Amino acid sequence: MSSTDLLHLHLVSDATGETNHQIARACLVQFEDVRAKEHVWSLVRTGSYLDKVIAGVEANPGPVLFTLVDPDLRRRLEEACRRIEVPCLPVLDPIVMTLANYMGRESHPRPGRQHEMDAAYFNRIEAMDFTLAHDDGQQVHDLEEADIVILGVSRTSKTPTSLYLANRGYKTANVPIVPDVPPPDEIFHLKRPLVVAFTTDPARLIQVRRNRVLMLKQREETDYVAMEQVRKEVAEARRMFVKNGWPVIDVTRRSIEETSAAVLQHLEARETGNV
């Protein structure tokens, strides 16, 4: 297959298909210059719908990643893929089998089980409500109820990281560090939450801020995007972080997912005493 060819990738699921989508994306980024078209087949729970899926694979042959628990649907899809001569992979089977063997227990498959509204689901909703109410320093009187408090100067990805962590079930507040404005006294007395600080390269920060200024159609000639002032702002914030013993994460060119993973590493280290 040349770099100019189009890869047809069929994602077949008896639920929302989100698991297939995430796995496919994580794998595709490992290949450079690959043109891929994802054919998403979700809520595949009947034979008639599976017929449409098979017809789609025949029309655009390509690898099939599937999460189906119905044994008859699985068998029919695998037989069709063998006939069409395309790979067919049950993406969750190796993990489920490994866990079952280790625990000595049988799994009990049910479509969409991971999306049921269980306690974890409602915890995520509660975390999201808390995070939205505590975005950008909106509320500081009850920060002790947070799991994580993020500090950082403007445009260091505090809000998107907070929302990502909230979706993982962590109550996350973020507080901006503003030049010449004392931070809320409450952050210096927190006991329960993990307080973590974000920093970044000043040059990169100015690029991000300039894009923000242009989007808002504001004037650029301000200290907000002046190199000397931004360097001073970042340096002073970092001195405060170090002085208070807060872990500092450099978010320069990190994705939100990578930054969130770093935050959770600090949280786990604190909870296990491996700080």
Side-chain angles (χ1 to χ4, degrees), residues 14 44-48 50-51 54 66 68-80 82:
D14 48 23
V44 181
R45 300 180 181 179
T46 64
S48 59
L50 184 64
D51 290 337
I54 294 172
F66 74 87
L68 299 174
V69 299
D70 184 283
D72 184 57
L73 296 180
R74 289 168 60 104
R75 177 185 56 78
R76 287 186 53 200
L77 178 61
E78 290 172 331
E79 289 176 352
R82 281 194 293 271

Side-chain angles (χ1 to χ4, degrees), residues 13-17 41-46 49:
S13 173
D14 48 23
T16 65
W41 308 91
S42 56
L43 299 175
V44 181
R45 300 180 181 179
T46 64
Y49 192 8

Side-chain angles (χ1 to χ4, degrees), residues 133-198:
H134 294 77
D135 180 42
D136 205 30
Q138 290 185 74
Q139 296 186 40
V140 296
H141 68 278
D142 58 349
L143 287 180
E144 196 64 43
E145 297 179 16
D147 298 308
I148 300 165
V149 176
I150 297 174
L151 309 177
V153 301
S154 174
R155 314 313 298 174
T156 48
S157 303
K158 297 186 300 298
T159 293
T161 303
S162 296
L163 293 174
Y164 184 92
L165 291 167
N167 193 51
R168 294 282 301 273
Y170 297 95
K171 294 180 179 179
T172 309
N174 72 82
V175 178
I177 303 301
V178 182
D180 302 321
V181 178
D185 187 61
E186 285 84 353
I187 66 172
F188 299 103
H189 305 286
L190 295 174
K191 302 297 183 184
R192 178 181 179 273
L194 167 72
V195 180
V196 62
F198 289 179

Side-chain angles (χ1 to χ4, degrees), residues 1-134:
M1 180 178 178
S2 70
S3 60
T4 59
D5 292 335
L6 179 65
L7 171 68
H8 291 279
L9 185 62
H10 296 269
L11 310 178
V12 185
S13 173
D14 48 23
T16 65
E18 184 64 21
T19 300
N20 275 339
H21 175 73
Q22 295 295 339
I23 292 174
R25 287 296 172 89
C27 293
L28 286 173
V29 296
Q30 308 301 320
F31 300 90
E32 296 182 359
D33 302 323
V34 171
R35 297 170 56 239
K37 179 175 177 57
E38 296 179 4
H39 301 268
V40 180
W41 308 91
S42 56
L43 299 175
V44 181
R45 300 180 181 179
T46 64
S48 59
Y49 192 8
L50 184 64
D51 290 337
K52 295 181 180 179
V53 174
I54 294 172
V57 177
E58 289 177 329
N60 296 287
V64 175
L65 306 183
F66 74 87
T67 52
L68 299 174
V69 299
D70 184 283
D72 184 57
L73 296 180
R74 289 168 60 104
R75 177 185 56 78
R76 287 186 53 200
L77 178 61
E78 290 172 331
E79 289 176 352
C81 288
R82 281 194 293 271
R83 174 173 54 80
I84 303 168
E85 297 184 341
V86 296
C88 185
L89 178 66
V91 295
L92 294 183
D93 279 19
I95 300 173
V96 173
M97 290 176 61
T98 298
L99 293 175
N101 290 335
Y102 181 79
M103 296 184 294
R105 302 180 64 175
E106 291 186 5
S107 63
H108 299 282
R110 189 164 71 236
R113 198 166 192 174
Q114 70 270 38
H115 302 294
E116 291 181 349
M117 292 191 292
D118 56 9
Y121 173 85
F122 289 106
N123 285 340
R124 288 196 299 273
I125 296 300
E126 184 181 359
M128 188 64 73
D129 288 341
F130 181 93
T131 299
L132 290 172
H134 294 77

